[in-house]
């Protein structure tokens, strides 16, 4: 049998990896195959050889892969395991070890496992909740690595991994050494970090970056559409919800109504239909249920198959010649791949830069047959759409409350009207 073959950037990463590291690669860079290659090499196998070199079956460790529920259910890891002659099915597995693939929701089940090898897929160890507590119990008695496209936005995101690597005893020690909280905030808010030089050294010690040149070329196009300007202005002035016929009580609610006005525009629907005339197979990302209702009822044509992935419906990507795959951001921005199309249409923008990046990566894979990838961003020139676009361009997350406060402060004293207060 042929040996396990990897790309140069994957081979380089395997050589740099060690227990407790974070394998950091962009979406579609092949982190799963690289992680398994590291496990394979640690168990006595050899990569880059013409013939397959078996692992040491007498000493091989059980393998546990903690991933997203979708990757588990879609059995994506099974495909990555096969070149190593590994399987979750004992009757097919070449070795005597156990191979388990499960979701983060079930991580507590494995808190008492010892002397095994864990691959934690898609960064979920942030904060101090149940997942983090189980993670910290597991890493004390097992070998492990963590895979992530976006390992941390702030130093606080690294706390669990720093503790797991023995840099700190607990969260309290990290806080004492590095965090200064704001004195003027009603809730704990980080004002600044201390001794960041030490934090940078620790991060560099555990971070293994996968640097590779993509063969694909991404084409991002902003498609601007019209919207009901008068209705938008009226809501801005009166702070009244025209859909529920009630006052808008907070900043989040105001932004939601602004977005509903622009997202339900017929011009946006027409623009979408014009795009799919050129691209008969496309993934369409959306945010809200009312957008799904619109997308499901558009006149795509009788021969166009429609499938969904959201919190209510889990359908696979169609195999027909013409199809539209409707995906809700939070449910489907990560944890699955599609090489059946070269097109993604963002019907509306998400507030999170990280989610937008993850969503874009669904079609940008190492094994895609397409050279050119097309991304269409439907948006209006309304204040809310432009503000979200500016924030995402700066690689930040959009903050509705901050935006509304800035918007309100720009209004003149004569026209300024505070948001109604709840009774």
């Amino acid at each position: 049998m042929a040996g396990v073959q990897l790309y140069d950037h994957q081979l380089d990463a395997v050589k740099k990896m060690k227990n407790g590291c974070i394998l950091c690669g962009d979406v579609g860079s092949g982190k799963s195959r690289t992680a398994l290659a590291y496990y394979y090499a640690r168990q006595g196998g050899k990569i880059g050889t013409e013939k397959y070199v078996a692992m040491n079956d007498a000493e091989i460790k059980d393998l546990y892969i903690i991933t997203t529920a979708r990757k588990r259910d879609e059995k994506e890891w099974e495909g990555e395991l096969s070149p190593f002659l590994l399987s979750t099915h004992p009757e097919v597995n070449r070795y005597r070890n156990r191979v388990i693939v499960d979701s983060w929701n079930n991580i507590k089940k494995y808190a008492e496992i010892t002397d095994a090898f864990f691959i934690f897929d898609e960064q979920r160890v942030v904060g101090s909740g149940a997942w983090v507590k189980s993670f910290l119990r597991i890493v004390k008695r097992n070998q492990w690595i963590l895979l992530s496209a976006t390992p941390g936005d702030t130093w606080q995101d690294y706390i669990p991994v720093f503790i797991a690597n023995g840099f700190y005893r607990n969260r309290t020690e990290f806080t004492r050494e590095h965090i200064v909280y704001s004195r003027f905030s009603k809730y704990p808010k980080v004002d600044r970090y201390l001794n960041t030089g030490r934090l940078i050294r620790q991060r560099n010690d555990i971070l293994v970056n996968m640097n590779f040149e993509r063969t694909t070329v991404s084409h991002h196009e902003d498609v601007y559409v019209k919207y009901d300007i008068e209705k938008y202005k009226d809501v801005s002035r009166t702070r009244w919800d025209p859909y529920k016929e009630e006052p808008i009580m907070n900043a989040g609610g105001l932004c939601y109504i602004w977005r509903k006005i622009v997202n339900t525009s017929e011009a946006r629907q027409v623009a979408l239909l014009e795009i799919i005339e050129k691209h008969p197979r496309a993934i369409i990302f959306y945010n809200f249920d009312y957008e799904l209702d619109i997308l499901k009822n558009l006149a795509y044509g009788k021969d166009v198959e429609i499938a969904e992935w959201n919190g209510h419906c889990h359908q696979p990507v169609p195999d027909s010649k013409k199809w539209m795959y409707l995906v809700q951001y939070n449910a489907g921005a990560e944890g699955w791949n599609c090489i059946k199309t070269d097109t993604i249409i963002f019907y509306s923008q998400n507030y999170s830069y990280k989610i937008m990046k993850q969503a874009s990566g669904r079609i940008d894979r190492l094994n895609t047959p397409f050279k050119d990838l097309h991304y269409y961003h439907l948006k209006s020139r309304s204040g809310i759409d432009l503000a979200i676009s500016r924030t995402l361009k700066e690689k930040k997350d959009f903050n509705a409350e901050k935006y509304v406060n800035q918007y309100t402060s720009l209004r003149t004293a004569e026209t300024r009207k505070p948001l109604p207060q709840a009774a």
Side-chain angles (χ1 to χ4, degrees):
M1 179 180 176
V4 177
Q5 300 300 315
L6 302 175
Y7 292 96
D8 288 342
H9 72 278
Q10 294 173 313
L11 284 167
D12 184 58
V14 171
K15 295 175 183 177
K16 296 177 181 177
M17 292 171 69
K18 63 180 181 179
N19 185 60
C21 73
I22 302 175
L23 180 60
C24 181
D26 206 356
V27 176
S29 59
K31 293 187 295 295
S32 301
R33 179 68 59 89
T34 306
L36 289 173
Y38 172 71
Y39 167 79
Y40 169 73
R42 288 291 296 265
Q43 312 305 312
K46 291 186 179 180
I47 54 178
T49 56
E50 292 185 5
K51 292 185 177 181
Y52 181 86
V53 178
M55 293 179 275
N56 187 345
D57 202 18
E59 300 179 4
I60 191 170
K61 293 184 180 296
D62 291 341
L63 175 61
Y64 293 83
I65 300 171
I66 307 300
T67 186
T68 63
R70 176 159 190 168
K71 276 191 178 181
R72 177 200 60 191
D73 297 341
E74 296 286 309
K75 301 189 182 303
E76 289 190 17
W77 274 97
E78 272 75 355
E80 299 289 357
L81 287 162
S82 60
F84 301 91
L85 302 188
L86 293 165
S87 175
T88 56
H89 303 286
E91 64 275 14
V92 180
N93 191 14
R94 161 71 171 73
Y95 302 93
R96 64 174 182 80
N97 67 325
R98 296 182 66 195
V99 180
I100 303 294
V101 178
D102 208 342
S103 73
W104 282 95
N105 291 328
N106 296 325
I107 187 175
K108 189 177 179 180
K109 289 167 52 178
Y110 309 103
E112 304 304 322
I113 297 295
T114 60
D115 197 29
F117 190 100
F118 278 78
I119 296 175
F120 297 99
D121 183 26
E122 305 289 354
Q123 168 70 298
R124 291 292 187 277
V125 285
V126 176
S128 57
W131 288 358
V132 171
K133 291 177 181 177
S134 296
F135 165 77
L136 291 176
R137 293 187 68 179
I138 289 171
V139 299
K140 287 181 179 179
R141 296 173 290 185
N142 299 277
Q143 295 180 11
W144 63 279
I145 56 175
L146 193 149
L147 317 183
S148 179
T150 49
D153 295 324
T154 69
W155 288 117
Q156 284 184 303
D157 293 342
Y158 285 92
I159 293 178
V161 183
F162 282 173
I163 295 173
N165 275 277
F167 299 154
Y168 304 92
R169 289 190 298 274
N170 49 43
R171 180 175 291 271
T172 301
E173 182 182 359
F174 179 94
T175 301
R176 184 175 63 248
E177 295 286 337
H178 297 288
I179 295 180
V180 176
Y181 289 105
S182 173
R183 294 180 297 169
F184 307 104
S185 177
K186 295 180 180 179
Y187 56 91
K189 181 181 179 181
V190 176
D191 180 61
R192 66 184 187 276
Y193 290 96
L194 303 175
N195 197 2
T196 54
R198 177 186 174 188
L199 295 174
I200 292 171
R201 289 192 299 273
Q202 291 170 164
R203 181 184 61 188
N204 291 344
D205 183 49
I206 62 174
L207 209 59
V208 177
N209 287 302
M210 295 179 64
N211 299 312
F212 77 108
E213 295 183 6
R214 293 186 182 275
T215 58
T216 55
V217 179
S218 297
H219 304 276
H220 287 265
E221 181 178 340
D222 290 338
V223 180
Y224 286 98
V225 295
K226 295 181 179 179
Y227 66 103
D228 191 332
I229 297 177
E230 290 304 316
K231 191 173 185 179
Y232 188 97
K233 287 182 177 180
D234 192 50
V235 168
S236 303
R237 183 180 65 256
T238 63
R239 303 297 204 267
W240 183 262
D241 182 343
Y243 302 101
K244 294 184 178 180
E245 292 294 327
E246 63 185 28
I248 301 171
M249 307 306 297
N250 52 53
L254 179 59
C255 288
Y256 175 83
I257 298 303
W258 277 334
R259 299 196 72 188
K260 190 168 185 177
I261 292 171
V262 300
N263 292 345
T264 54
S265 163
E266 288 189 7
R268 188 171 296 233
Q269 300 167 39
V270 171
L272 173 65
L273 293 174
E274 290 175 348
I275 293 171
I276 66 174
E277 287 181 3
K278 297 184 294 181
H279 303 279
R281 295 185 300 273
I283 298 169
I284 304 176
F285 276 99
Y286 68 93
N287 283 286
F288 308 107
D289 285 344
Y290 66 78
E291 294 175 89
L292 176 60
D293 292 337
I294 292 172
L295 294 171
K296 288 170 63 176
N297 292 288
L298 287 178
Y300 298 107
K302 293 182 179 180
D303 56 343
V304 178
E305 184 177 353
I306 307 299
E308 306 172 36
W309 187 279
N310 49 53
H312 314 291
C313 186
H314 296 167
Q315 296 175 326
V317 178
D319 287 319
S320 54
K321 292 183 179 180
K322 296 182 180 181
W323 52 261
M324 296 294 123
Y325 195 45
L326 313 180
V327 184
Q328 203 277 336
Y329 279 108
N330 292 334
E334 62 181 11
W336 61 285
N337 311 318
C338 179
I339 58 172
K340 298 178 182 179
T341 181
D342 61 354
T343 304
I344 288 181
I345 304 170
F346 300 103
Y347 188 77
S348 60
Q349 303 174 100
N350 191 271
Y351 283 170
S352 168
Y353 166 75
K354 184 182 294 187
I355 287 180
M356 291 294 293
K357 182 179 179 181
Q358 290 278 9
S360 297
R362 294 312 96 214
I363 61 173
D364 196 354
R365 320 305 299 183
L366 284 173
N367 59 339
T368 181
F370 303 103
K371 173 69 174 180
D372 295 289
L373 303 177
H374 304 279
Y375 300 90
Y376 295 93
H377 302 259
L378 299 181
K379 58 183 71 173
S380 68
R381 297 191 185 278
S382 64
I384 186 67
D385 267 352
L386 293 176
I388 296 171
S389 295
R390 283 194 300 270
T391 305
L392 296 176
K393 188 176 182 180
E394 295 172 356
K395 299 183 178 181
K396 298 178 180 178
D397 293 347
F398 180 78
N399 185 306
E401 184 174 357
K402 182 179 179 181
Y403 171 69
V404 171
N405 288 339
Q406 291 174 341
Y407 172 84
T408 303
S409 67
L410 292 174
R411 302 170 70 203
T412 62
E414 290 76 19
T415 60
R416 184 178 298 136
K417 182 177 180 180
L419 291 172
Q421 298 298 311

